[in-house]
Each structure stands twice: as C-alpha cells, then as structure tokens.
Amino acid sequence: MKPLCGQDPGLLDNLLSFADQAYPEFQIVCGVQNAADPAIPVVDRLKRERPSIPVTLVVDSTRRAGNLKVANLMNMLPTTRHDRLVMVDSDMRVPPSFLSTVTAPLEDASVGLVTSLYRGRPADRSLPSLLGAHYINYAFLPQAILGEALRPGQGCFGASIAMTRQTLEAIGGFEAVADALADDNAMGSAVRRLGKRIVVSDLIIDDWVSEPSVMALFRHELRWALTIRGVAPWGYLGSLITHPVALAVLAACLGGFGWLSLGGLAVALLARFAMVRATDRALGLEASPLWLVPLRDLLSFGVFLASYFTRTVAWRDRNFHVDRQGQLTLEGDPAA
C-alpha cells in the first residue's frame, strides 16, 4: 500500500523497486486524494512499464481522519486483495528481497507487526537534501537502534509497516489511529495491547530525501520533533544531551571563548566526526562532508528549541494543530 501525495523526485524508481519484488504473488495499491495529483501520471507509467504486476490506483478525496496519510490508507483498504498488508511511504526504495523479508516474521502467530529502519540518501546534491539525509543517518537512525537495543519491540517506524489484515481489524482498523500525529507509534501501541510482538526487520531500506529549501526541511523536522515530544515528553526533554556541539557552542559563548570552553567544543566536534565516519562505514554510505556536521547539529538544536514554542505543524502544504495528546486537527476544521 503506497499512499501518495505529489511527485517526489525519484518516485518512479521508488515504485519500480516495489514492482520488482522476488515474491510469488502481490498487488500494489497506490492512493491519492486529489484527481489532479501529479503522482497519477507516474503510477500510469508504472503500469505501462510493469504490465504483469497488478497495480491499483485509488483516487478518493474522502477524508475520514485528521491524519491525511491514514485517511488515504482508509480509502485504499477496500481494494486490497491479500491478507498481508505492507504500508510503505512514497520516498522509500527497496531491494527485491524486501517483501519476503518483512512478511516472513508474520508466520509466527505471536508477531503482530514488522517495521523497518531506513537510511537517508539525498536525491540531489542540494544543501537541504544533504542536511535531511544527514539527520536520518546520524541522529534518527542511531537513536532508533539504541532504543531498540534498550527496549526491544517498542519502536514502530511509519516508513514501513507490515501486518496481517486480521491484526489490523483486531486493533480497530485504521480508525483507531485516524487522528494521531504519530500514527505509527499509535499503531504499535495498539498491537502491543493485543499481546503481540513488534519485530524490527534486519533489512535497512533507503529513504531518498529531497527538500526544496532549508525552511521546508525545518518545518518537516519540526513535525517529527512534535511527534516524538508527544509520544515521549520526558525522553524528548532528556534528548537535550544529544546536542553536544550546540551545547558546547553555548558554553564557549558563556565562557568568553576561553581555552577550556573551546577545548570542550573541539572534543564535541571530534566525537561527532568519528561517529559520522563510523556510521558511513556501517551503512555502506558515501563519506558525508564533515563541514555539514556543525551546521546540521545547530539546525537540529534549533528544531529542538522551536518544538517547545508551537503546536502547529506543516504537512504536505497544510497546517495542523497538535493537542497535548498528539491528536491532529486541520486548521479551519472544528474537528477532524
């Protein structure tokens, strides 16, 4: 199931990677909520280039959820033919083994959901796209891996979720997460309440990152930050310690740029440089420019601070209000 909105750079290649799965029988369901959505011609081309693969396009403007991605999935669900459902974001690209890898754990009746981690690959060499991929690879991914190591089965990452139709129905369907900003976390929590396990696949997939501007990237990451803050407010506050470069810069300013404070900044930068290079090797990535590290870290600290001064997020060119329970309301709606 591929909820779409707009034509992401590389969208055709992303969709083709799902059509080229080494799996005996599967269907691709794409969904848009606007009859003029530019993703529609891309889906039509997918059908032409892979005529042997059943591809269904759902065009439906019905909005039964505050979370527009979930509303899209709700519209798509009636056209699905199989009992195993795999929901993957439009900017993901996967190897041919993806479908067999993420569905295999569902053979175990104790497993309710399989999710996948992802690494960032810039779709172009622009600064916003590089910064976006940098955040995924050197902030999100290490924190997610550490979280899984400390509390196995607690993470659920919306970029890729696999579950059976029976499990989805047991948690109350997509309606159960209809208005949640963190729909992935809400779905994971619902599965755990059933007494079923969440498995993080050992296959890391690729997120092809494209951001039109630094401001667009800032708004995108502010939505992520508000999502995390709503799910784990105290843990999010504690993540202040994961901004060593920004804190060292503040210490240097307050310390009058003395040798001690500058030494602390140098240590923070060297530690970050070492972590970036180790991650590049572990993920098989091209070496990231080290000059991006301080710029990226200061931007992340700005997002962290901003998340405490707003409850409005921008999502696909629409503004939403997020309440204290992490529920979404589209601005201008009395309720969503």
Side-chain angles (χ1 to χ4, degrees):
M1 300 178 73
K2 301 287 293 184
L4 307 176
C5 183
Q7 185 177 350
D8 298 324
L11 178 59
L12 179 62
D13 289 332
N14 296 345
L15 293 176
L16 285 171
S17 74
F18 291 91
D20 295 335
Q21 290 299 296
Y23 200 81
E25 184 181 357
F26 62 95
Q27 171 199 20
I28 298 176
V29 179
C30 299
V32 297
Q33 295 182 295
N34 185 341
D37 196 300
I40 294 176
V42 181
V43 177
D44 291 337
R45 184 175 171 186
L46 172 69
K47 293 179 179 180
R48 293 194 301 270
E49 295 204 10
R50 297 294 187 273
S52 63
I53 302 299
V55 178
T56 303
L57 175 63
V58 177
V59 182
D60 191 340
S61 61
T62 304
R63 181 164 62 87
R64 292 173 287 165
N67 185 313
L68 298 186
K69 173 184 172 181
V70 176
N72 204 352
L73 289 167
M74 292 169 74
N75 296 338
M76 296 159 61
L77 185 61
T79 67
T80 58
R81 306 174 187 172
H82 300 281
D83 287 331
R84 293 179 178 181
L85 307 173
V86 184
M87 297 148 270
V88 194
D89 285 350
S90 61
D91 52 357
M92 297 294 154
R93 196 175 301 176
V94 297
S97 61
F98 168 75
L99 198 51
S100 59
T101 300
V102 300
T103 57
L106 297 177
E107 295 285 351
D108 185 340
S110 69
V111 175
L113 185 151
V114 182
T115 189
S116 301
L117 289 168
Y118 51 93
R119 62 192 158 207
R121 293 190 182 275
D124 53 64
R125 302 306 296 177
S126 68
L127 179 62
S129 297
L130 288 170
L131 288 172
H134 205 282
Y135 169 79
I136 291 171
N137 294 333
Y138 313 119
F140 159 75
L141 189 54
Q143 291 178 23
I145 291 173
L146 179 61
E148 177 63 16
L150 295 175
R151 300 180 65 196
Q154 296 300 305
C156 183
F157 310 105
S160 170
I161 292 177
M163 64 196 314
T164 64
R165 188 184 302 270
Q166 291 76 14
T167 298
L168 179 62
E169 292 172 353
I171 67 172
F174 289 123
E175 290 81 359
V177 299
D179 297 328
L181 174 59
D183 55 281
D184 49 0
N185 179 78
M187 189 171 290
S189 296
V191 167
R192 286 191 294 271
R193 285 195 295 271
L194 292 178
K196 291 183 175 289
R197 295 189 295 121
I198 294 177
V199 171
V200 177
S201 170
D202 57 5
L203 177 65
I204 297 179
I205 59 179
D206 290 326
D207 180 359
W208 285 82
V209 180
S210 176
E211 296 287 352
S213 67
V214 173
M215 183 53 65
L217 173 64
F218 183 88
R219 290 194 297 266
H220 193 176
E221 293 185 358
L222 183 58
R223 174 168 62 84
W224 289 348
L226 284 173
T227 302
I228 299 169
R229 183 184 165 205
V231 169
W234 290 109
Y236 180 74
L237 178 61
S239 71
L240 176 66
I241 65 172
T242 66
H243 299 276
V245 173
L247 293 175
V249 169
L250 286 175
C253 293
L254 294 174
F257 296 97
W259 288 110
L260 184 61
S261 59
L262 289 176
L265 175 58
V267 169
L269 284 170
L270 288 173
R272 289 288 287 147
F273 292 160
M275 180 266 196
V276 166
R277 283 292 175 262
T279 304
D280 288 338
R281 289 193 296 271
L283 297 179
L285 295 171
E286 179 183 347
S288 176
L290 292 180
W291 63 266
L292 279 176
V293 173
L295 183 61
R296 174 64 264 184
D297 286 7
L298 292 175
L299 177 61
S300 294
F301 190 62
V303 172
F304 177 84
L305 294 178
S307 68
Y308 284 96
F309 293 93
T310 184
R311 286 198 173 273
T312 299
V313 297
W315 196 352
R316 295 289 187 177
D317 298 324
R318 299 191 184 192
N319 290 327
F320 296 82
H321 176 75
V322 185
D323 66 20
R324 294 184 181 279
Q325 286 71 48
Q327 300 297 295
L328 284 171
T329 303
L330 181 64
E331 286 194 352
D333 279 5

